[in-house]
Amino acid sequence: MPSHAKHAVTPFFEAQMEAVFEAMADGVWVCDATPKLLWINSACEELNDIRREEVCGKTVEELLGQGNFDTDVTNRVLNSKKPVAIIQKVKSGRTLLVNGVPVFDEKGDVSLVVGSERDLTELNLLRIELEEKEKLHSRMQSELLAMKLRDLKMKEIVAVSEAMEQVMDTVFRVADFDTTVLLSGASGTGKSMIARVIHEGSSRRDQAFLSLNCGAIPSSLMEAELFGYKGGAFTGALAEGKIGLIQAAHNGTLFLDEIDAFPLEMQVKLLTFLDTQGFIPVGDTRVKQVNVRLIAATNKNLKEKVEAGEFREDLWFRLNVVPVRLPTLGERRQDLPNLIRQFIQSLSERYGVRKQLDPEAMALLNRYAFPGNVRELDNILEHAFVMSGTEDVLTALHLPEAVRLQAVPPRQFGYDGMTLDAAVSEIEYLFLKRACKQHRRQVDIAAEIGVSQPTVARLLKKHGLRPGGNIQK
């Protein structure tokens, strides 16, 4: 025990009890009902940057007046006769969590207040350290995701946003298993592309990947298209017969898009195939066995269709083994700059002309709702590419009229069709636009709007702005 530990130790402490308190990492102190400080342990000395011989024997009011702490817990315990916990700023500059507990005498009066102190400063530093580690983990996950996509040669997949990262995490987890996957999401969110990623990430990658849009095939032809038929099975049938997509996809993957349009009378046959990997071609009597993985997709709510009697519940359960919901473009706004850059690069390669999007057009796209999602964005940029003719820069005038008219105007945050993401994006744009008019350095902009310089760089790129730029009001 340090030499100063011998000072101001009062008789009520037994040597063994004092040793216990001295061994504690938390600060411990004892006051009487005066209230006067009787004893503190070594941890309390260190936390508060004080010495026993300087503080023990003084009243709480004296210690408060000398600036040892900004508020006391002892009087609150004495007044309430109950345990009290407070946050206390102390002389050392630390922030402490202080708990005061009353000790009663034989008459039921509070005779002592025993306090314990824990350093929140260190806990906050630990929390910051954990947050940094989580950020590092998140970056590593993003880099790992990018590596996996590169390995699969799927450069067209953009997954910067948290929503898409979660989707891709599930996709890579399920790819190596032959379980059935049900992709859901609005039209244009990229369900067919994700189905392809699942196939490319699986052990079936070197085998066939076949797809069928169930909504584009007449019900009368669906069975023959999917299961095939025996020669002469019906009028107009080929004499030699025809194999269906299920048989053609043997050892590979079959993707059924718009599965909600699958004829009700054929759903039992599809369910049987999923359970047994066996099927009977139209007009045949023999069961054929295959090894096919099925991925289904829908832009409808299948559960509602089950409740309406339009889709078999047992088939829905069989398809819905691993559900994956794809977010709308509005739910993954962080991906927008990368998607735009990717589509423009693809268009430049296709047409042999290199072009770029100007800041005004970028800002307009940032305020557009994209009801058609990623597919609509691709179409919008191709429209702009074509309409720009020989010009090197795609401007707002080259965008479709519907985009220019329907993009949410600045400051109209009461607009009924505006999503929360769009509102946040608009606020970012307005803050940055104002700051860019006043400053020519990113570091100055960061100081004004209260974020880091790297964040400013990312946001300027997102909104197509630059410091000191010629920005129209």
Side-chain angles (χ1 to χ4, degrees), residues 59-327:
T59 65
V60 170
E61 285 74 15
E62 288 178 300
L63 296 171
L64 185 62
Q66 292 172 0
N68 285 279
F69 39 79
D70 61 349
T71 182
D72 83 279
V73 73
T74 307
N75 282 305
R76 300 187 194 187
V77 174
L78 291 170
N79 292 332
S80 66
K81 296 184 178 182
K82 295 179 180 179
V84 176
I86 64 169
I87 302 296
Q88 190 180 72
K89 193 82 171 178
V90 297
K91 179 183 177 181
S92 63
R94 297 174 185 266
T95 301
L96 307 179
L97 172 62
V98 182
N99 288 279
V101 180
V103 176
F104 299 94
D105 60 19
E106 296 176 354
K107 298 179 181 179
D109 297 324
V110 179
S111 60
L112 298 172
V113 177
V114 178
S116 63
E117 302 174 337
R118 178 161 295 183
D119 189 5
L120 291 183
T121 307
E122 293 184 1
L123 291 177
N124 285 335
L125 291 174
L126 179 60
R127 176 182 56 79
I128 293 171
E129 183 180 347
L130 289 173
E131 288 177 352
E132 290 299 320
K133 287 183 178 179
E134 287 178 359
K135 289 178 183 177
L136 177 61
H137 176 71
S138 178
R139 286 197 297 272
M140 290 175 64
Q141 289 293 100
S142 296
E143 291 172 6
L144 182 61
L145 174 60
M147 289 172 60
K148 287 181 177 178
L149 289 173
R150 283 196 297 271
D151 289 343
L152 296 175
K153 298 180 175 59
M154 288 289 178
K155 295 179 181 179
E156 63 269 31
I157 298 288
V158 174
V160 177
S161 65
E162 182 179 352
M164 274 305 292
E165 280 192 350
Q166 290 176 354
V167 167
M168 297 311 298
D169 179 65
T170 302
V171 164
F172 285 126
R173 286 175 186 271
V174 77
D176 279 334
F177 296 88
D178 271 346
T179 186
T180 306
V181 179
L182 178 61
L183 305 175
S184 63
S187 179
T189 51
K191 294 184 289 296
S192 60
M193 187 179 295
I194 294 299
R196 169 69 75 169
V197 171
I198 294 173
H199 172 74
E200 292 292 338
S202 73
S203 59
R204 299 173 181 266
R205 66 179 66 87
D206 295 326
Q207 303 298 324
F209 175 84
L210 301 179
S211 63
L212 176 67
N213 188 323
C214 301
I217 303 294
S219 298
S220 58
L221 299 179
M222 180 71 74
E223 186 174 9
E225 188 72 23
L226 197 59
F227 299 102
Y229 59 85
K230 185 179 179 181
F234 52 85
T235 302
L238 297 175
E240 66 274 19
K242 179 183 176 183
I243 66 170
L245 287 175
I246 286 179
Q247 188 171 348
H250 179 54
N251 290 327
T253 303
L254 177 62
F255 173 53
L256 297 182
D257 199 4
E258 295 191 31
I259 192 68
D260 51 276
F262 205 81
L264 192 61
E265 63 274 11
M266 281 182 56
Q267 291 179 19
V268 174
K269 194 166 184 177
L270 180 61
L271 179 63
T272 301
F273 162 70
L274 287 172
D275 287 337
T276 66
Q277 288 283 292
F279 68 97
I280 301 176
V282 177
D284 207 339
T285 57
R286 293 169 299 176
V287 176
K288 292 184 178 293
Q289 293 294 141
V290 291
N291 181 357
V292 174
R293 180 185 193 170
L294 184 69
I295 301 175
T298 180
N299 58 13
K300 301 291 193 300
N301 187 322
L302 279 190
K303 187 176 181 180
E304 290 182 355
K305 283 193 162 289
V306 168
E307 294 170 350
E310 299 172 358
F311 202 87
R312 290 183 63 95
E313 185 176 41
D314 48 5
L315 178 57
W316 175 58
F317 285 138
R318 189 65 181 79
L319 293 172
N320 202 40
V321 177
V322 178
V324 179
R325 178 189 171 274
L326 273 66

Side-chain angles (χ1 to χ4, degrees), residues 368-439:
Y368 184 61
F370 293 104
N373 296 296
V374 178
R375 184 186 294 126
E376 183 184 16
L377 172 62
D378 191 8
N379 294 339
I380 287 171
L381 292 173
E382 183 168 5
H383 173 97
F385 213 89
V386 172
M387 296 305 294
S388 64
T390 59
E391 297 179 40
D392 295 333
V393 178
L394 307 178
T395 70
L397 293 176
H398 298 139
L399 297 176
E401 184 179 11
V403 176
R404 299 197 304 271
L405 294 176
Q406 293 175 28
V408 180
R411 301 184 184 276
Q412 289 189 8
F413 299 115
Y415 177 68
D416 291 339
M418 194 175 200
T419 66
L420 177 59
D421 283 331
V424 171
S425 180
E426 183 60 34
I427 292 173
E428 286 177 352
Y429 174 75
L430 293 175
F431 265 74
L432 289 165
K433 180 179 176 182
R434 182 192 64 189
C436 283
K437 290 180 180 179
Q438 299 174 354
H439 303 289

